[in-house]
Amino acid sequence: MAAVSNGGRYFVRFRWKAFSSRGKNLTTSTQSSPQSSTQYCTNLVRNLDYENFLCVLLLPKGSRRSVFAVRAFNIEVARVQDAVSDPNIGRMRLQFWRDSLDNIYQGNPPQQPVALELAETTSKHKLTKRWFSRIIDGREKSIDNRPYDTTDSLEEHGENTVSSVLYLILECLGVKDVQADHAASHLGKAIGVVTLLRATPFHGSRGKVYIPSDVMIKHGVSQEDIIRGRTTQAVKDVTYDLASLAHSHLSTAKSLMSKAPKVASRVFLPMVSCQAYLTKIQQADFNMFHSTLRERNHLLPLQLLKHAWTGL
């Protein structure tokens, strides 16, 4: 599944005056700077990962450029799967990013805007290379467009791709804390499951199914049921199991966050949209194809502001 963390292309595209002005000011400031790579990364996140774009705007000002670089890297790697029809070509593109990482950490980044920004970011914050490598490895494992074998493999994918991004953002904010890392691990897994659920109607309409096979077999659901968008009780049971798994990880993340440093709380703002989706799918009686799940969440900016100031 090639969706960027928190839904990728499925993110709602809405505007809210306060956030729009902040995003505009941020872009304007980069236009007058020689660092055009900064503007590239900012625009990439705003255009393809808008929910996380809003979250980044609520991080401390001094860390935003670095976090945009990390988020942009994640997008570049995640969209490889959608950009190619041949998995081997996809692997070649992912190898480009592996080689780029080696060069970045050797002080010789390629002349590519995301790579240039990452070079600045890794140097400034001493980011752990392993987390970047895990993101690439996680995406390569799903490059063949096959369903996950088990829910464990789905959770592993969330850990490798989403949690690794959160670990890097924590490092950008100078947070080194075991509780924060554990919270990021569980939140990443929750977001990974929710991303799968959010993306399933889109992928199903294109003949692709990524729902773990063990859950499908448990409830006697076929890939054809998903592709045709059937709303049988069995399909709802599959959705319920996955939503429950995400909710469990989300609850654990919340309990761990209370023990983490306060500065880390805004790193976990993606939790807001994750929780909002789980609430909506419960209200839709776990029908993942329900039309309300495709509606824009116009309240998300307000919800993010509220949680940013009062805590999650």
Side-chain angles (χ1 to χ4, degrees), residues 281-298:
I281 203 168
Q282 182 180 21
Q283 293 170 344
D285 192 28
F286 299 100
N287 173 12
M288 73 173 82
F289 302 103
H290 200 281
S291 60
T292 58
L293 298 175
R294 298 191 296 272
E295 295 175 355
R296 296 179 176 181
N297 182 1
H298 296 287

Side-chain angles (χ1 to χ4, degrees), residues 4-5 36-49 52-53 56 64-80 96-97 112-118 121 132 135 139 165 168-169 172:
V4 179
S5 68
S36 61
S37 55
T38 303
Q39 181 183 348
Y40 178 90
C41 290
T42 302
N43 290 339
L44 188 65
V45 178
R46 179 174 53 229
N47 293 333
L48 298 181
D49 196 354
N52 281 318
F53 172 78
V56 176
R64 290 177 203 157
R65 176 182 172 185
S66 297
V67 176
F68 274 129
V70 171
R71 287 285 182 193
F73 168 82
N74 183 52
I75 291 170
E76 291 281 19
V77 173
R79 65 179 180 170
V80 166
F96 163 80
W97 284 108
Q112 196 275 354
V114 175
L116 292 172
E117 281 297 283
L118 279 185
T121 298
F132 289 110
I135 294 170
R139 295 298 178 184
V165 171
L168 289 165
I169 296 175
C172 287

Side-chain angles (χ1 to χ4, degrees), residues 112-292:
Q112 196 275 354
V114 175
L116 292 172
E117 281 297 283
L118 279 185
E120 294 283 341
T121 298
T122 55
S123 176
K124 179 179 180 181
H125 301 288
K126 309 301 179 185
L127 299 184
T128 304
K129 182 182 178 183
R130 180 173 72 257
W131 303 137
F132 289 110
S133 297
R134 285 214 316 179
I135 294 170
I136 298 173
D137 292 342
R139 295 298 178 184
E140 184 171 23
K141 287 182 179 179
S142 59
I143 200 74
D144 289 320
N145 291 312
R146 291 194 296 242
Y148 296 99
D149 292 330
T150 64
T151 53
D152 287 344
S153 59
L154 172 59
E155 290 175 298
E156 181 185 10
H157 178 79
E159 169 69 27
N160 289 338
T161 57
V162 189
S163 299
S164 294
V165 171
L166 295 175
Y167 298 148
L168 289 165
I169 296 175
L170 285 169
E171 290 185 351
C172 287
L173 270 67
V175 177
K176 295 182 179 180
D177 179 80
V178 173
Q179 298 297 335
D181 287 344
H182 285 172
S185 176
H186 285 282
L187 178 56
K189 292 172 183 175
I191 292 174
V193 176
V194 165
T195 298
L196 172 68
L197 286 171
R198 293 178 72 172
T200 292
F202 173 84
H203 286 308
S205 68
R206 285 155 178 76
K208 298 178 181 179
V209 179
Y210 299 102
I211 295 175
S213 298
D214 61 348
V215 180
M216 301 268 283
I217 293 171
K218 174 184 175 182
H219 296 289
V221 174
S222 67
Q223 291 193 25
E224 188 71 13
D225 291 330
I226 304 301
I227 291 171
R228 293 188 176 277
R230 291 174 179 149
T231 57
T232 63
Q233 186 58 49
V235 173
K236 290 183 179 181
D237 289 341
V238 167
T239 305
Y240 174 82
D241 281 3
L242 292 175
S244 297
L245 178 63
H247 182 268
S248 176
H249 282 298
L250 201 60
S251 297
T252 302
K254 287 180 180 178
S255 66
L256 291 167
M257 281 169 46
S258 63
K259 305 171 186 176
K262 188 175 181 180
V263 67
S265 63
R266 294 196 178 192
V267 175
F268 302 118
L269 282 173
M271 177 183 293
V272 175
S273 58
C274 184
Q275 181 63 69
Y277 176 84
L278 291 175
T279 299
K280 288 184 70 174
I281 203 168
Q282 182 180 21
Q283 293 170 344
D285 192 28
F286 299 100
N287 173 12
M288 73 173 82
F289 302 103
H290 200 281
S291 60
T292 58

